[in-house]
Amino acid sequence: MASTKDWFETVAEARERARKRLPRSVFLALHAGSEAGGTLADNTAAFAELGLRPRIADLPPERVQATKVLGSDISLPVIVSPTGVQAVHPDGEVAVAKGAAQSGTAIGLSSFASKPVEDVAAVNDNTHFQVYWQGSRDDMLARMERAKRAGAKALIVTLDWVFATARDWGSPPIPEKVDLKTAVKFAPEVLRKPGWLGTYLRSGSLPDLTTPNIVPRGQQGPAFFGAYGEWMGTTPPSWDDLAWLRSQWDGPFVVKGVYRPDDAKRAVDIGASAISVSNHGGNNLDSTPATIRTLPGVSKAVGGQVEVLLDGGIRRGSDVVKALALGANAVLIGRAYLWGLAAGGERGVHNVLEILRQGIDSTLYGLGKKSVHDLEPSDVVVPDDFTRGM
């Protein structure tokens, strides 16, 4: 269908609508990567280096995308990745959860989210809760128990984030809180975007930079940088720490940030249910090659013992297909759905997911595949040295 005021046809168009709608600082905060942005750029560029081997006859009249990941049935192999405070829209993570539910898939909810896990899980039965190794063990147990009571199905432990002061390449300073002083400072750029401002005025709220899932339910969570500071002040975990954490969660357990085959094997050893090949969307250690480059080696290392997820650079349904063919069970998306959220709230998130669904379907058709489960490495043309020795 053609693009309309309420519907867009590509993720690139969602990004452009988000750029036009959001204040410049807010949009750049979404776009930013680490240092020179090399990893951010390679995440998308690497997919363009991969080719596909199409067929021309005996093509399947119907294609199946439904799969099961982290113990949950989803209608397409795309999951919403956890991202921090989503101030691009007043409904934030609740709108994202609804959009994902409408498309029949799961949402990963960040512990740095701006909406309580109870509100998110209430509108999407397939909610997975994400944590950092942050605070004391008792603090972490309290967060996990709260998420479990709320109905979270899986736990995602994010490890692909370093102590980098230059993390936000290309991003403006993010305010500690939205108060009168901040409002005056950002007023010139906000007033240029009356649509975004009007959405907040109609909601009766201001952009929320607090993190309610860090503290017990009912308490006021710290602002984003307060939570960030607590994380920075916590000694990073050992593999023994991660094994303990796994022992405290009786559901699916994801280690996010795996990049090397040897780390993938260690994640298997501690009893992880799944690993996520991730570089935090290009917001971790710059000069790290794209996640799709390391996926084949990681997938081979675990040999089907755990589910393998991938995030970083997914912009088209064909990107999803390439990742599945090279060893992923499903992918996670970040910026793509945030652009959709900015462009159209819940409907925009659903729109992005349906764009990917359509792209997956047409790619399966062209490859002559009846199901996402039929994909194999030979469907993809991989250039020499594509994996960069990973």
Side-chain angles (χ1 to χ4, degrees):
M1 62 185 290
S3 295
T4 67
K5 177 178 171 245
D6 298 319
W7 195 260
F8 41 85
E9 290 189 288
T10 67
V11 172
E13 187 176 350
R15 178 186 180 281
E16 182 61 15
R17 291 193 185 194
R19 186 189 67 79
K20 290 180 178 179
R21 182 175 180 82
L22 294 175
R24 182 175 182 274
S25 294
V26 178
F27 177 76
L28 289 179
L30 292 185
H31 179 66
S34 295
E35 297 184 335
T39 297
L40 173 66
D42 196 42
N43 273 349
T44 52
F47 278 104
E49 294 177 24
L50 295 170
L52 295 167
R53 291 190 172 97
R55 296 186 180 276
I56 60 169
D58 294 328
L59 303 182
E62 295 181 356
R63 282 75 59 194
V64 176
Q65 298 189 36
T67 189
K68 189 168 188 174
V69 179
L70 301 178
S72 298
D73 294 318
I74 51 179
S75 72
L76 77 167
V78 181
I79 297 171
V80 169
S81 184
T83 61
V85 288
Q86 296 173 4
V88 300
H89 191 280
D91 294 334
E93 295 85 1
V94 172
V96 173
K98 289 180 177 178
Q102 190 175 353
S103 288
T105 194
I107 174 177
L109 179 71
S110 173
S111 55
F112 283 15
S114 60
K115 301 295 182 184
V117 60
E118 292 81 9
D119 294 356
V120 172
V123 297
N124 191 319
D125 291 336
N126 283 338
T127 295
H128 308 317
F129 189 66
Q130 177 271 340
V131 295
Y132 294 97
W133 186 262
Q134 175 184 352
S136 68
R137 287 190 172 191
D138 286 343
D139 292 334
M140 298 196 67
L141 283 174
R143 290 180 198 124
M144 292 159 57
E145 289 168 1
R146 176 181 172 183
K148 178 65 77 173
R149 287 195 301 270
K153 299 294 193 299
L155 188 74
I156 303 170
V157 184
T158 295
L159 301 170
D160 55 337
W161 199 11
V162 299
F163 299 99
T165 57
R167 173 178 176 266
D168 291 322
W169 166 78
S171 177
I174 300 172
E176 176 70 24
K177 60 182 178 179
V178 179
D179 53 15
L180 180 59
K181 180 179 179 181
T182 302
V184 171
K185 178 180 178 181
F186 285 93
E189 62 178 273
V190 170
L191 291 174
R192 294 189 189 102
K193 305 293 182 178
W196 182 80
L197 177 60
T199 299
Y200 270 99
L201 292 176
R202 288 190 295 273
S203 74
S205 65
L206 292 172
D208 191 355
L209 303 181
T210 60
T211 54
N213 296 309
I214 297 294
V215 295
R217 186 179 185 184
Q219 293 186 17
Q220 177 73 18
F224 175 85
F225 284 106
Y228 181 83
E230 182 183 45
W231 167 75
M232 287 187 68
T234 303
T235 301
S238 65
W239 281 108
D240 286 342
D241 290 327
L242 296 173
W244 169 82
L245 190 65
R246 202 289 169 256
S247 72
Q248 304 303 310
W249 182 267
D250 60 3
F253 183 92
V254 186
V255 175
K256 181 177 181 291
V258 172
Y259 221 82
R260 300 163 52 115
D262 53 350
D263 278 345
K265 292 176 181 178
R266 295 295 297 270
V268 173
D269 291 342
I270 67 165
S273 312
I275 57 176
S276 178
V277 181
S278 173
N279 54 39
H280 218 91
N283 280 313
N284 192 34
L285 187 63
D286 202 21
S287 299
T288 301
T291 52
I292 191 67
R293 298 191 193 279
T294 194
L295 174 64
V298 168
S299 178
K300 181 180 179 181
V302 300
Q305 296 176 82
V306 296
E307 293 176 338
V308 178
L309 310 176
L310 175 135
D311 73 72
I314 301 291
R315 301 291 184 266
R316 299 173 178 83
S318 59
D319 296 339
V320 179
V321 169
K322 291 171 182 177
L324 299 183
L326 293 181
N329 296 95
V331 304
L332 299 103
I333 59 170
R335 287 182 180 85
Y337 81 79
L338 290 172
W339 294 332
L341 177 65
E346 171 190 339
R347 174 188 48 74
V349 174
H350 171 60
N351 192 159
V352 163
L353 288 164
E354 295 309 302
I355 288 168
L356 296 177
R357 187 196 305 277
Q358 183 181 41
I360 295 168
D361 184 70
S362 60
T363 307
L364 289 175
Y365 182 73
L367 294 174
K369 300 293 182 178
K370 295 180 180 179
S371 167
V372 292
H373 300 287
D374 296 335
L375 292 164
E376 53 192 3
S378 61
D379 293 317
V380 180
V381 181
V382 181
D384 292 340
D385 197 34
F386 176 77
T387 61
R388 302 290 195 268
M390 297 296 293

